[in-house]
Amino acid sequence: MSPLKRQILIITVILAAIMELIDTSIVNVALNYMSGNLGSTLEDTAWVITSYAIANVIIIPMTSFLTNMLGRRNYYIGSIILFILCSLMCGQAHSITELVLFRFLQGLGGGALLSVSAAVVYEQFPKEKLGTASALFGIGVFIGPTIGPTLGGYITEHYSWPWIFYINVPIGILVAVSCYFLLPESSTKTTVKKVDWLGIGLLTAGIGALQTVLERGQTEDWFATKYITYLTITAVVSLVGFVINELHVENPVVDLRVLKSKSLKVAAILTFITGMGMFTSIFLTPVVAQRLLGFTPSQTGLLLLPGAIIAVFALIISGKLLQKGVSPVLIILVGFLCFIYFNWSMATMNPDTPAMFITLHLIFRALGMALLTVPLSSLAVSSLPAKDMPQGTALNNMMRQLGGSFGISIINTYSARRLAVHRTDLITHVTATNPLTVDRINGYTAYFQTKGISFLDAKVKAMKLIDMSVVKQSTLLSYLDSYLLIGSLFALALPLLLFVIKRGKAAGPAVVVSDH
């Protein structure tokens, strides 16, 4: 393959990965519009997000098996076509049931665009340049979820929500045509002698149930709802059965034996934590900016933009540093510290926090994510033979997605509990004996009376304003606690770095602990 064709192929598959990752978050800001347009409740409409996440996490660990069974070209191009068609059908959906169904199928198609894209990028570089490969692919991994809400907000504000799906069609066609002419068959393809149907069934049931519990648990009050309890039992039994089955069958659908690599095991744990940080921060920040600080979706997107631009350069620089022999442990350490600083700084916000404060600290978040993405991606595959790289990449990507799901689930539950605590604390100060409260109520009441409202109605409206103020303050405090929690989890994970990389300078993209 000529250098030009190789470069076009790399750009093509990274573009496919970005498109897939954008779709994980692009619909978040459009839920209200979808709900009103389709005549469904907001809770039912949230299944548009849930169904895509479930399909993604089910299919990602199976990509190596499906690549071997169908051939990489057939599977990858077929997945792109499925993704395009389902994007088109999502935009055409006339009911919430149709939208959720096509969104699930879109997620099945999207799963290949992440793991297979990563494997293709890694194949285009020699082993000593894995850092550069990880940096290039890391740009897609980072940019996708970051610009998703921004792009979704802009499209929804200026056009209509179906266009957040239609935008995939021309990009998908371009990617499919490019891959048809350029994508080679995998050089490490192995023949699938027997299909592991039991493994596929257990994986689908286990991951599907687990993802549903994580996505819907807080909304449904966890185990107070019967179906959440049943799905939790299903997830535990299925996943335990899946692990036992995969370790004993000759041709497993997911080869868990690659986890014998110590570097992959530790990278997977750290990637899980990184996924928690990446997705929870991109979930929390727009919520705080729009609901509590009064920013529009477009303004919120602009908050994220400077950090995203700087992160692209940081990803490239970190890849170059790895190549030059800088110890990956130092890069990962700096990444963790940047992210801890971001979260703990955001935990000091108040209702009058200016946009510049958020933008500056989002740069630290972006730097942290950028500095973690490259060495962790390299670490995951650094000690694997070429034939196991696709499986190692798939497992690592699954851990990032699961980390995001666990993180958002934890944050939703934690912030809801903290909201109740803070509301109770604040309400104790809103009493008839508190002169500040009395003055505020009297001031509001007098204001409403000047608008021609009777004294009793004005008093009721004044009390409602006080209650709204309490709710707003309680909500902000609960989100600040959430930032603090995520920062603390990263701090607690720092000792894991001792198990990742040997001290001293790296000999290649990553110096990993021996697997023996």
Side-chain angles (χ1 to χ4, degrees):
M1 185 182 292
S2 69
L4 178 61
K5 288 183 178 179
R6 178 171 157 272
Q7 289 168 8
I8 293 172
L9 176 62
I10 291 170
I11 292 170
T12 297
V13 296
I14 289 175
L15 183 61
I18 291 173
M19 181 174 68
E20 197 278 336
L21 284 165
I22 283 175
D23 268 62
T24 62
S25 58
I26 195 171
V27 302
N28 292 24
V29 295
L31 290 183
N32 284 329
Y33 297 90
M34 292 178 185
S35 177
N37 190 249
L38 298 174
S40 59
T41 65
L42 197 57
E43 286 189 1
D44 287 340
T45 311
W47 279 99
V48 175
I49 299 172
T50 305
S51 59
Y52 186 85
I54 290 170
N56 243 213
V57 179
I58 287 173
I59 205 72
I60 284 173
M62 293 170 58
T63 52
S64 179
F65 164 79
L66 292 170
T67 298
N68 287 329
M69 186 172 75
L70 303 173
R72 182 167 71 183
R73 278 177 55 83
N74 292 337
Y75 176 51
Y76 193 71
I77 295 172
S79 293
I80 295 169
I81 292 170
L82 176 63
F83 190 85
I84 295 169
L85 290 175
C86 290
S87 294
L88 189 62
M89 296 309 295
C90 283
Q92 293 287 320
H94 294 97
S95 69
I96 191 63
T97 304
E98 285 181 31
L99 183 55
V100 170
L101 172 62
F102 289 121
R103 185 79 168 138
F104 179 81
L105 294 173
Q106 186 195 34
L108 292 179
L113 306 188
L114 194 60
S115 295
V116 179
S117 294
V120 171
V121 172
Y122 290 143
E123 278 184 15
Q124 305 309 310
F125 291 85
K127 192 113 179 175
E128 65 272 11
K129 289 190 175 181
L130 273 182
T132 302
S134 295
L136 286 171
F137 188 71
I139 291 171
V141 169
F142 182 85
I143 287 178
T146 302
I147 68 171
T150 309
L151 189 60
Y154 181 83
I155 291 172
T156 305
E157 277 184 37
H158 295 88
Y159 301 97
S160 59
W161 68 261
W163 281 98
I164 64 179
F165 298 112
Y166 293 152
I167 195 175
N168 292 327
V169 177
I171 299 171
I173 291 172
L174 184 66
V175 169
V177 171
S178 179
C179 287
Y180 179 79
F181 290 106
L182 297 176
L183 183 65
E185 192 54 74
S186 174
S187 59
T188 58
K189 181 185 174 184
T190 56
T191 304
V192 176
K193 298 175 184 176
K194 186 179 178 182
V195 178
D196 178 20
W197 291 112
L198 178 59
I200 291 173
L202 290 171
L203 176 66
T204 303
I207 292 292
L210 174 63
Q211 190 74 12
T212 306
V213 169
L214 292 173
E215 295 273 348
R216 305 297 296 172
Q218 175 58 32
T219 305
E220 302 288 359
D221 197 21
W222 293 104
F223 302 116
T225 307
K226 284 187 178 180
Y227 90 85
I228 293 293
T229 304
Y230 294 149
L231 286 177
T232 302
I233 295 169
T234 301
V236 172
V237 173
S238 298
L239 291 175
V240 170
F242 171 74
V243 171
I244 294 170
N245 179 72
E246 297 307 281
L247 292 175
H248 289 86
V249 296
E250 189 176 345
N251 299 295
V253 65
V254 179
D255 189 3
L256 297 178
R257 297 177 184 91
V258 297
L259 288 171
K260 288 179 180 176
S261 163
K262 187 178 290 185
S263 58
L264 176 58
K265 274 186 289 198
V266 178
I269 295 170
L270 291 171
T271 299
F272 180 86
I273 295 165
T274 302
M276 288 181 70
M278 178 185 289
F279 286 98
T280 52
S281 57
I282 212 64
F283 166 76
L284 274 175
T285 305
V287 169
V288 172
Q290 291 177 48
R291 291 187 185 177
L292 301 175
L293 303 181
F295 290 28
T296 65
S298 298
Q299 288 172 327
T300 304
L302 291 174
L303 293 176
L304 299 164
L305 191 59
I309 293 170
I310 290 172
V312 171
F313 293 103
L315 283 161
I316 296 169
I317 291 168
S318 62
K320 296 288 185 185
L321 290 174
L322 285 173
Q323 273 183 243
K324 289 183 178 180
V326 175
S327 174
V329 74
L330 293 177
I331 299 175
I332 295 173
L333 177 62
V334 172
F336 266 70
L337 292 176
C338 282
F339 203 82
I340 291 168
Y341 176 74
F342 159 74
N343 278 281
W344 288 355
S345 296
M346 293 293 277
T348 65
M349 286 191 298
N350 60 63
D352 299 317
T353 295
M356 184 56 69
F357 175 92
I358 300 174
T359 300
L360 288 175
H361 287 92
L362 281 169
I363 289 173
F364 282 95
R365 172 207 174 261
L367 283 173
M369 290 295 98
L371 295 174
L372 288 171
T373 299
V374 179
L376 288 178
S377 296
S378 295
L379 182 67
V381 298
S382 59
S383 63
L384 296 177
K387 69 180 180 64
D388 288 336
M389 274 192 182
Q391 186 66 78
T393 302
L395 285 171
N396 203 47
N397 284 329
M398 183 190 73
M399 292 303 286
R400 184 187 298 109
Q401 300 298 100
L402 276 178
S405 296
F406 269 91
I408 290 174
S409 178
I410 289 168
I411 287 304
N412 276 332
T413 303
Y414 183 71
S415 61
R417 303 278 166 87
R418 295 301 298 167
L419 172 62
V421 171
H422 287 303
R423 180 176 169 78
T424 302
D425 289 344
L426 292 177
I427 284 291
T428 58
H429 299 286
V430 183
T431 63
T433 56
N434 186 327
L436 291 175
T437 303
V438 174
D439 287 345
R440 184 67 62 88
I441 292 172
N442 289 340
Y444 286 152
T445 303
Y447 170 77
F448 287 123
Q449 282 184 294
T450 62
K451 300 296 181 182
I453 299 173
S454 67
F455 174 76
L456 289 177
D457 287 342
K459 191 74 173 284
V460 170
K461 285 183 177 293
M463 292 302 294
K464 284 182 179 178
L465 272 182
I466 292 290
D467 185 60
M468 285 172 61
S469 179
V470 168
V471 169
K472 184 176 180 179
Q473 290 283 351
S474 303
T475 305
L476 178 60
L477 289 170
S478 69
Y479 287 141
L480 300 187
D481 288 346
S482 299
Y483 279 116
L484 198 59
L485 175 66
I486 294 298
S488 299
L489 289 176
F490 266 74
L492 290 173
L494 282 175
L496 287 172
L497 298 178
L498 299 173
F499 300 97
V500 180
I501 304 162
K502 288 180 179 178
R503 296 178 184 275
K505 288 193 173 182
V511 175
V512 297
V513 179
S514 170
D515 295 323
H516 302 296

